[in-house]
Amino acid sequence: MTVVLVVDDDAAIRRTLGITLRARGYEVEPVADGRSALQSLAEQEPDVVVLDLGLPDLDGIEVLRRIRATSSVPVVVLSARQESDDKVEALDLGADDYVTKPFGMEELLARLRAAMRRAGAPVETVRAGDLVIDVDDRTVTRAGEAVHLTPTEWRLLEVLVRADGRLVRQATLLHDVWGPEYERETHYLRVYLAQLRRKLEADASRPEHLLTDPGLGYRFVP
Amino acid sequence: MTVVLVVDDDAAIRRTLGITLRARGYEVEPVADGRSALQSLAEQEPDVVVLDLGLPDLDGIEVLRRIRATSSVPVVVLSARQESDDKVEALDLGADDYVTKPFGMEELLARLRAAMRRAGAPVETVRAGDLVIDVDDRTVTRAGEAVHLTPTEWRLLEVLVRADGRLVRQATLLHDVWGPEYERETHYLRVYLAQLRRKLEADASRPEHLLTDPGLGYRFVP
DNA sequence: GCCGGGCGTCAAGATCGCGTCAAGAGCCGT
DNA sequence: ACGGCTCTTGACGCGATCTTGACGCCCGGC
């Protein structure tokens, strides 16, 4: 279970993030101030931290400094302020990303995933037979040979690999790879799955990793 | 029987959700305004509520506040893209999840199941002898072996399983699985019940779980 | 014993969804 | 402007699935 430490003095944001993240399958530890954040960091060992810079007790920048004194956990910073001074300082101190309020929930989720990805969280490289998929580097090798994927092919593979063997519905794939207005264009999936199979499977007509659930979606199994 | 209270002033959405949810074996209580919603909440005691925030009489937020005053029923909020303030407020007031319009039906169904599960609803796996039917995963195993069902076979089984041992009338099955214009086509039932029995029963000619009530309908008994 | 309605069974034809190929459009960098 | 790469779109074959018809069985009514 992936644990997210949410540090924000605004109760509405703590709850919004809490509910949203839990709905996506994360475990959430919400705290309201810097002191509690540092305490939770030590006790819970979260996989990623969401940190609001505007805190009542300690300055958010100071909290980040102390986090970095003891931990390399990925940190995504939230700030209401427009000035880029904080941003530069936060990134200098080792924040992994920076989101300005008001922010879209999907955007924040994407940044969190990206931060964890870069930090080498759960899925970093996946081995499947003679395939090696390095999610950080965006590289794929097959039997030692580098495989070239186009941007769209890669995004599709990434979504499937991150699902970790579970079914991903057609509408979800289309939404995540092509955008919300493409959710009914299943033709794309057929074309791109075929291309991925041709590049990744030993026998594209008998796929071992990129499997179809007819009428539902696709799944990647190592 | 799981009851879903659908609160939306848009008749098209009430109708779409009503048809889809009923087809999945839920009982649906559609209402158009907040006053009716609160009344239905008291009378029907639904298992989950789908609440549109943009209502004509009472503000959706106000409806949610009154729901929470008396009930802990899981609430999934529907919101238009622009109403992000409302969304935060709704989650703050105890909504369990939100879905932004326009939404995919499968996504909403998944959120509803997730919300009910978190609220402690019974896990939807049915065991019947050596059969295990997982309604969430859409999978069936028999003596440990995965059983492959076609989409129509699955929907039929799903409706029967959700009825929880009670008789389901022929017209109801036809309506829910094939659509309202098929309510007299009982031939389909004979064909598909035979297929299900062949796949699920030890001896298809002596069914133990998929039973016929001649002239009335069918029932699934564990 | 005969008949008819409801049910179960089988199988052929129609339809649907998926995989495949390839042509053309669009988008770079040179 | 050109060439190369990628994305989009249409056409088509194939297998799975659905639909439809034919037929046999059981049982109750006559």
Side-chain angles (χ1 to χ4, degrees):
Chain A
M1 177 68 84
T2 306
V3 178
V4 184
L5 174 60
V6 175
V7 190
D8 200 312
D9 60 316
D10 183 341
I13 289 190
R14 284 203 306 279
R15 270 183 241 181
T16 306
L17 281 176
I19 289 161
T20 307
L21 291 169
R22 269 188 275 265
R24 303 303 177 100
Y26 297 100
E27 193 171 303
V28 180
E29 172 78 6
V31 302
D33 56 73
R35 227 170 293 278
S36 314
L38 294 168
Q39 192 177 336
S40 283
L41 183 75
E43 290 170 3
Q44 306 278 332
E45 297 185 357
D47 298 284
V48 63
V49 178
V50 179
L51 174 66
D52 187 353
L53 287 185
L55 293 177
D57 57 343
L58 293 174
D59 187 350
I61 293 289
E62 181 57 26
V63 174
L64 179 56
R65 196 189 314 277
R66 297 202 191 176
I67 289 175
R68 275 289 167 268
T70 61
S71 167
S72 63
V73 62
V75 176
V76 175
V77 163
L78 294 182
S79 174
R81 310 173 203 174
Q82 298 294 342
E83 302 94 85
S84 59
D85 289 357
D86 281 346
K87 176 176 180 177
V88 171
E89 201 175 348
L91 292 172
D92 273 352
L93 275 169
D96 293 74
D97 208 343
Y98 189 99
V99 179
T100 306
K101 295 187 202 175
F103 52 86
M105 202 53 70
E106 292 303 329
E107 183 191 355
L108 178 61
L109 284 165
R111 304 277 180 120
L112 287 180
R113 283 194 298 267
M116 283 188 279
R117 190 191 318 151
R118 285 192 298 272
V123 191
E124 186 177 57
T125 65
V126 175
R127 274 164 240 279
D130 58 353
L131 280 180
V132 179
I133 300 169
D134 190 320
V135 183
D136 289 346
D137 286 358
R138 293 200 154 208
T139 56
V140 178
T141 57
R142 184 177 150 201
E145 295 286 314
V147 178
H148 172 72
L149 297 186
T150 72
T152 304
E153 286 165 3
W154 173 259
R155 286 206 304 280
L156 179 57
L157 179 64
E158 188 180 9
V159 173
L160 286 168
V161 165
R162 286 189 185 288
D164 202 24
R166 289 183 301 275
L167 169 71
V168 187
R169 294 192 168 271
Q170 295 177 342
T172 306
L173 286 171
L174 288 163
H175 179 279
D176 289 357
V177 176
W178 279 270
E181 64 273 29
Y182 286 76
E183 287 184 10
R184 302 192 173 274
E185 306 292 329
T186 61
H187 193 79
Y188 287 94
L189 294 178
R190 296 203 289 280
V191 171
Y192 274 86
L193 259 296
Q195 286 175 2
L196 279 180
R197 282 174 178 148
R198 200 155 357 104
K199 291 181 176 181
L200 303 182
E201 297 276 6
D203 180 356
S205 64
R206 296 173 174 279
E208 294 172 26
H209 307 302
L210 293 164
L211 306 184
T212 305
D213 282 83
L216 299 174
Y218 296 85
R219 69 178 74 225
F220 178 90
V221 295
Chain B
M1 178 67 83
T2 306
V3 179
V4 184
L5 174 60
V6 174
V7 190
D8 200 312
D9 59 315
D10 183 340
I13 290 189
R14 284 202 307 278
R15 201 170 116 72
T16 307
L17 282 178
I19 290 167
T20 309
L21 291 169
R22 268 189 275 266
R24 302 307 177 96
Y26 298 100
E27 192 171 304
V28 180
E29 173 77 7
V31 302
D33 56 74
R35 228 170 292 280
S36 315
L38 293 168
Q39 193 177 336
S40 284
L41 182 76
E43 291 169 1
Q44 307 278 333
E45 296 185 356
D47 299 282
V48 63
V49 178
V50 179
L51 174 65
D52 187 353
L53 288 185
L55 293 177
D57 59 340
L58 291 176
D59 187 349
I61 292 289
E62 181 57 26
V63 174
L64 178 57
R65 195 190 313 276
R66 297 201 191 176
I67 289 176
R68 277 288 169 268
T70 62
S71 167
S72 62
V73 62
V75 175
V76 174
V77 163
L78 297 182
S79 73
R81 195 160 279 286
Q82 308 296 349
E83 312 167 17
S84 63
D85 289 354
D86 280 351
K87 189 160 70 184
V88 171
E89 203 176 345
L91 290 168
D92 205 21
L93 273 170
D96 293 75
D97 205 347
Y98 64 87
V99 178
T100 307
K101 294 187 201 176
F103 52 88
M105 204 52 73
E106 290 304 328
E107 184 190 357
L108 178 60
L109 284 165
R111 302 284 179 105
L112 287 180
R113 284 196 295 263
M116 283 189 279
R117 206 177 312 138
R118 283 197 300 276
V123 181
E124 298 202 83
T125 64
V126 177
R127 275 164 237 280
D130 58 354
L131 280 179
V132 179
I133 301 167
D134 189 321
V135 181
D136 282 349
D137 276 6
R138 205 189 165 122
T139 56
V140 178
T141 57
R142 183 177 151 201
E145 294 287 313
V147 178
H148 173 73
L149 298 185
T150 72
T152 305
E153 287 164 2
W154 172 259
R155 290 215 302 283
L156 179 57
L157 179 64
E158 190 181 9
V159 174
L160 285 168
V161 165
R162 282 191 196 282
D164 204 23
R166 289 185 296 276
L167 168 71
V168 186
R169 298 197 164 268
Q170 294 178 341
T172 306
L173 287 171
L174 288 162
H175 178 279
D176 289 354
V177 176
W178 280 270
E181 64 273 30
Y182 287 75
E183 288 183 9
R184 303 190 170 274
E185 306 290 331
T186 61
H187 192 73
Y188 286 99
L189 294 178
R190 295 203 287 280
V191 172
Y192 275 86
L193 259 297
Q195 286 175 1
L196 278 181
R197 282 172 178 150
R198 198 154 2 102
K199 291 182 175 181
L200 302 183
E201 299 277 7
D203 180 357
S205 63
R206 299 174 187 280
E208 294 172 25
H209 307 301
L210 292 163
L211 306 184
T212 306
D213 284 83
L216 299 174
Y218 296 85
R219 70 177 71 224
F220 178 90
V221 295

